[in-house]
Amino acid sequence: MNIGTIGKVLCVTGALALSAQTAAAEKVLKLGTVGFIGMPIGDAIDQALIPTLEEVSGGQLKIEPHYRKSLCSEQTCGEQANQGLLALWTSSTANFGNFGTSLAIFDLPYIFKSIEDADRISSEWLAEKQCQIAAEEAGHVCLTVYSSGGFRQLGNAHGPVHVPGDMEGVKWRVTKSPIEYTLVKNWGAVPVPYDWSQLYQGLQTGVVSGQYVATPWQHVAKLHEVAPYFTEIGGSWSGNQLSIDKRQYDALTDEEQEWLKIAAKAFGQKVQELDRAWVEAGEIEIKKTAKEWYVPSEDELVQWRAGAIDAWINAKGTYDPDTARQVLEQQGMTSFIAQLEEAGAL
């Protein structure tokens, strides 16, 4: 073998070795989500989480997204993360409850007054505090908490609903959530567990007459076509979370963990921005054809919040009363605090 040939071999060998080292240095985190491109969660993953992580890590740490339940649904995504089949996953804060109660505070009805309050308090301190608890309690490191659809609002085909008494005896669709069941029952309606995929037809045929769903999802499912009376009561915030399995997180270097935190923060900010726009767009479209969009007065809201107290009592032990009180105080919700104290929920 002549010197020129040897030189070529050494160059090729060196290039292959460098390529192998680069490949070995690059880590890919598999992410499972029910979100998809075209809705805030999927768009924020695509526009913020993935590119930010690649940028801050110089391409050493990447995310491989699997959208639209292609890999798993919410609870099973968390289970697969525990098994090491994926690393990152998203879910509602309610479904995170399968792994612990650390995020249950976000699901308490009327814990937040508005989307702005929810975003502000979650971003400033509440998400970080509860996520620290989650890391120890649930085996998952919660990286951020955010909204998917803002607040649930009442829509119905029966007629105007201004106070809970207007729901008396009306069949109202509910999910399997004990909180939602308690709320609807306490407001005087008849709770009817009913499948989401059949809800349009159920409202159309009168099997159920009302529903309690986040505004943009009502618009996506065209529920306003068959249930044209709306009441903006808020109450249940559509909290969601992004987490990574704790064992896999602990296996990352300190630098890699910091990269992931930066990317998660960018994701949280982006999803908040997109979600607010999504909620606003949904409300605008619904109001174009709604027979009524009613906003209760503060005195009327006291009646709506009264229906939530049993849900707080039933949830005792899943949230820290001092933390909940702090959240309510920061929003000036003194009358609701008094209601909860009188009932023994705080």
Side-chain angles (χ1 to χ4, degrees), residues 196 199-201 203 211 215-228 230 286 289:
W196 166 256
L199 183 52
Y200 184 99
Q201 183 179 7
L203 289 164
Q211 43 79 21
T215 309
W217 288 112
Q218 293 195 41
H219 177 245
V220 167
K222 302 185 184 301
L223 301 183
H224 57 292
E225 295 179 351
V226 290
F230 293 86
I286 286 174
T289 57

Side-chain angles (χ1 to χ4, degrees), residues 38-76:
M39 69 169 290
I41 294 175
D43 287 346
I45 290 170
D46 182 62
Q47 298 172 21
L49 184 65
I50 292 174
T52 301
L53 186 58
E54 288 203 29
E55 180 182 351
V56 298
S57 72
Q60 294 182 55
L61 199 57
K62 296 184 177 181
I63 290 173
E64 177 187 300
H66 294 263
Y67 300 110
R68 282 186 180 270
K69 300 184 183 180
S70 60
L71 200 62
C72 50
S73 60
E74 293 193 329
Q75 180 179 339
T76 56

Side-chain angles (χ1 to χ4, degrees), residues 102-114:
S102 51
L103 303 187
I105 191 169
F106 293 97
D107 300 322
L108 292 171
Y110 293 104
I111 187 72
F112 299 121
K113 284 177 66 175
S114 68

Side-chain angles (χ1 to χ4, degrees), residues 76-111:
T76 56
C77 283
E79 293 168 353
Q80 288 188 24
N82 284 153
Q83 297 163 9
L85 301 175
L86 57 87
L88 294 159
W89 61 292
T90 72
S91 78
S92 66
T93 47
N95 278 330
F96 190 87
N98 291 292
F99 305 95
T101 62
S102 51
L103 303 187
I105 191 169
F106 293 97
D107 300 322
L108 292 171
Y110 293 104
I111 187 72

Side-chain angles (χ1 to χ4, degrees), residues 22-281:
T22 302
E26 180 184 294
K27 291 184 181 178
V28 178
L29 303 177
K30 188 180 292 186
L31 181 152
T33 180
V34 299
F36 53 89
I37 303 298
M39 69 169 290
I41 294 175
D43 287 346
I45 290 170
D46 182 62
Q47 298 172 21
L49 184 65
I50 292 174
T52 301
L53 186 58
E54 288 203 29
E55 180 182 351
V56 298
S57 72
Q60 294 182 55
L61 199 57
K62 296 184 177 181
I63 290 173
E64 177 187 300
H66 294 263
Y67 300 110
R68 282 186 180 270
K69 300 184 183 180
S70 60
L71 200 62
C72 50
S73 60
E74 293 193 329
Q75 180 179 339
T76 56
C77 283
E79 293 168 353
Q80 288 188 24
N82 284 153
Q83 297 163 9
L85 301 175
L86 57 87
L88 294 159
W89 61 292
T90 72
S91 78
S92 66
T93 47
N95 278 330
F96 190 87
N98 291 292
F99 305 95
T101 62
S102 51
L103 303 187
I105 191 169
F106 293 97
D107 300 322
L108 292 171
Y110 293 104
I111 187 72
F112 299 121
K113 284 177 66 175
S114 68
I115 293 176
E116 291 76 18
D117 285 320
D119 287 347
R120 173 178 57 82
I121 293 172
S122 296
S123 299
E124 287 178 356
W125 65 275
L126 185 60
E128 182 178 358
K129 178 175 183 177
Q130 298 307 122
C131 285
Q132 287 176 354
I133 297 171
E136 299 304 319
E137 173 190 274
H140 295 279
V141 176
C142 164
L143 298 167
T144 187
V145 177
Y146 54 92
S147 161
S148 179
F151 286 91
R152 293 172 180 258
Q153 309 293 1
L154 295 174
N156 86 93
H158 182 73
V161 170
H162 297 175
V163 293
D166 296 331
M167 294 173 64
E168 189 70 37
V170 179
K171 291 181 290 185
W172 220 269
R173 178 262 182 179
V174 295
T175 64
K176 294 180 181 179
S177 164
I179 288 178
E180 186 178 347
Y181 189 95
T182 300
L183 281 174
V184 169
K185 184 178 180 181
N186 285 358
W187 288 333
V190 179
V192 180
Y194 204 76
D195 186 75
W196 166 256
S197 65
Q198 298 177 8
L199 183 52
Y200 184 99
Q201 183 179 7
L203 289 164
Q204 188 177 41
T205 59
V207 176
V208 291
S209 295
Q211 43 79 21
Y212 185 41
V213 176
T215 309
W217 288 112
Q218 293 195 41
H219 177 245
V220 167
K222 302 185 184 301
L223 301 183
H224 57 292
E225 295 179 351
V226 290
Y229 297 94
F230 293 86
T231 317
E232 190 178 317
I233 61 163
S236 295
W237 186 61
S238 300
N240 276 243
Q241 60 82 36
L242 169 69
S243 288
I244 180 172
D245 171 63
K246 188 175 187 301
R247 286 174 297 182
Q248 295 180 64
Y249 179 79
D250 290 342
L252 298 175
T253 66
D254 291 345
E255 187 176 35
E256 289 168 340
Q257 291 177 4
E258 187 60 31
W259 292 338
L260 188 56
K261 289 177 183 177
I262 293 171
K265 183 176 181 180
F267 165 78
Q269 292 171 341
K270 188 65 176 178
V271 79
Q272 282 183 4
E273 171 194 330
L274 295 173
D275 192 67
R276 287 194 195 186
W278 192 41
V279 171
E280 182 179 357

